[in-house]
Amino acid sequence: MHDILQTNLLSPITLCFILGIVAKLVRSEFSLPKDIYLGISIYLLLALGLKGGVELAEASFSSIISPVLVTLLIGCITPISSYLILRKLGRFSVADAAGIAAHYGSVSAVTFIAAQSFINEMSTKMPSLPPLEGYMPTLLALLESPGIHIALAIGAIKTASKGHGTAKVLHEVLTGRTMILLLGGLIVGYLIGHKNWEVIAPFYDSKGGVFRGLLCLFLLEMGIVAGSRMGDLKKVGLFLIGFGTIVPLLHGTLAIALGTWAGLSVGGCTVLAAMAASASYIAAPPAVRVTLPDANPSYYLTAALAITFPFNVVLGIPIYFELAKFFHA
Amino acid sequence: MKLTNLKLVTIITEAVLEEQVIRELKSLGAKGYTVVASHGEGSRGMRAGELPGQNIRIETLVGADVAHKIMEHISAHYFKHYAIVCYISDAAVLRGEKYI
């Protein structure tokens, strides 16, 4: 475990992320220009989609059906379990509990990428590790939206909220940049086949230098964003700090158990656990702000960005890897 | 030169509300609008950067009655929950018929 933690901690993306947090903590003015940050996020999502699509075209229906169903099940469980814990144990208001649950029910694509990079790294160190399932980005796309809708529906019903209609939010989430690039990329990747992929692979392959280099820059900026919310930690209270670290472990363990049952490899289970454990901070915040105006943005943004994201990137992913190995033993 | 006196309604608020507020301005009688990205600080704190999303400033030139309807609507629907600033100022324009 010590070795694995060290591997993760000394990986370029984790160190760049920590550098970003440190830059913010020492009050450096530095940050990545917004358009570059957006540009890199577009590149990363499209790259994920393309590679996932190429691999999906080669996967048999019978091999992916169980992982797909398990992913959808996780997407339905995590918003409800988050909501109940926040409401019953944390005594949060309906709007706050539903708002935070929408974030934890959905998924953070960057956490997914960090987990995938970690598995790639580990497989070079441990040749006996079976290769990571190539269709994982398909599962990422599936997990993006159900959680947001379930949590928002709970919030809207319980508060008789007069915000946006559900159809409107559905449209916003389904046409957001994550979904268009990821789903669009999957379809393009599916259609182009291996030959065409090999031409563009040096630029888009997640094992390649371009992808990993840009990922470092992206994580650096994520560190700055997370660091800028660290000051709010005092405001959100101990319960939410505990919630932001323990609930990912619960959801991660659930995902590993279900993933193992569905036949995913150790790597696949680790990535699925990272997805289930992560909290969305791109698609969920605007949807929650508009639908549940009573929910305090300080709670959900701080929990997702300043607590759960750093936890998963630094500690969570190696823990899920160990748990996945344990479940496979 | 024939000048018409109108009201300039300025709304500074959270970027997530853009689409919704503009739709409502139009239904209350605004013929057009301008939106610019902005950032600043107010009673709800600093608002800048990617999250929670930058601010926008929406401006629309309308007649006095529409301007008052807009103020009433904004105060009833948004003041409680959102970071929002809304004010009316006088404006004199050419081609007044374009706006009312």
Side-chain angles (χ1 to χ4, degrees), chain A residues 192-268:
Chain A
I192 58 175
H194 238 285
K195 254 196 174 160
N196 282 321
W197 164 249
E198 273 163 23
V199 179
I200 54 172
F203 184 68
Y204 283 113
D205 194 350
S206 54
K207 288 180 184 166
V210 180
F211 186 93
R212 289 187 186 196
L214 285 171
L215 188 57
C216 286
L217 277 177
F218 193 81
L219 264 288
L220 180 65
E221 175 66 14
M222 283 302 306
I224 292 168
V225 175
S228 66
R229 297 214 75 90
M230 293 287 175
D232 286 340
L233 280 178
K234 274 177 259 155
K235 283 192 229 158
V236 302
L238 270 181
F239 180 85
L240 209 53
I241 297 174
F243 176 89
T245 47
I246 294 166
V247 163
L249 290 173
L250 290 178
H251 288 164
T253 309
L254 171 78
I256 291 164
L258 289 171
T260 308
W261 175 81
L264 286 176
S265 67
V266 169

Side-chain angles (χ1 to χ4, degrees), chain B residues 30-73:
Chain B
K31 293 282 189 291
Y33 61 89
T34 302
V35 181
V36 285
S38 58
H39 63 268
E41 191 170 345
S43 60
R44 288 188 188 245
M46 188 88 165
R47 297 205 150 263
E50 156 93 329
L51 287 163
Q54 61 185 4
N55 280 359
I56 46 166
R57 194 177 77 213
I58 306 172
E59 290 179 327
T60 180
L61 280 162
V62 292
D65 51 336
V66 173
H68 286 112
K69 272 198 253 173
I70 292 173
M71 291 293 263
E72 270 168 28
H73 177 83

